[in-house]
Amino acid sequence: MKKLNLVAMPTALAMAIVAPAFAQDAGGTETETETAEPNGAIVTREALTEQREVLDEEGNPVLDENGNPTFETVEIGFTQTVETPSGNIHTITKADGERAVVTHEKPERVAKADRPEKPERPEKPEKPEKPERPERPGRGG
């Protein structure tokens, strides 16, 4: 039971966060922006849509009252952009029936300032030689 909770809780939370990103407005593309709290990344998801003619069962275009063909908006994929706090931008574009295209953009690094050279240390004076110890009488010598 504990193992199930460890998997089920994060999955349910992820579905609750991601599910609104799939909703599409009747007017066209919808952009969903959310911020992931733990790492501060900004995730933007936009639906790729296309205007298509409405066809009847026989394949003929459906006409409106003025005789013009009617169009419907169809979602054909999505574009998701992730911007990290460090400035990296990752873009995933996926259209139905095609492979996903992933691009990565890194910000230009600011050149580091040249460090000033450390001054040379002065040479340490040589230590004077230790005087020899006088021999002690009575010791093996």
Side-chain angles (χ1 to χ4, degrees), residues 69-131:
T70 58
F71 292 91
E72 65 180 348
T73 302
V74 179
E75 184 175 336
I76 59 169
F78 66 89
T79 299
Q80 180 171 321
T81 304
V82 179
E83 185 173 351
T84 62
S86 61
N88 294 335
I89 299 173
H90 309 285
T91 305
I92 303 167
T93 304
K94 174 74 170 109
D96 292 341
E98 296 181 17
R99 288 187 159 192
V101 177
V102 180
T103 59
H104 305 282
E105 298 174 28
K106 292 185 177 183
E108 291 186 26
R109 293 188 177 208
V110 178
K112 292 183 179 180
D114 292 333
R115 292 186 179 182
E117 292 184 22
K118 293 182 180 179
E120 289 186 25
R121 293 184 181 177
E123 290 186 22
K124 293 183 180 179
E126 291 183 24
K127 292 183 181 180
E129 290 184 25
K130 292 183 180 179

Side-chain angles (χ1 to χ4, degrees), residues 1-9:
M1 185 68 178
K2 288 182 182 179
K3 291 181 182 179
L4 180 61
N5 283 342
L6 290 174
V7 174
M9 293 304 289

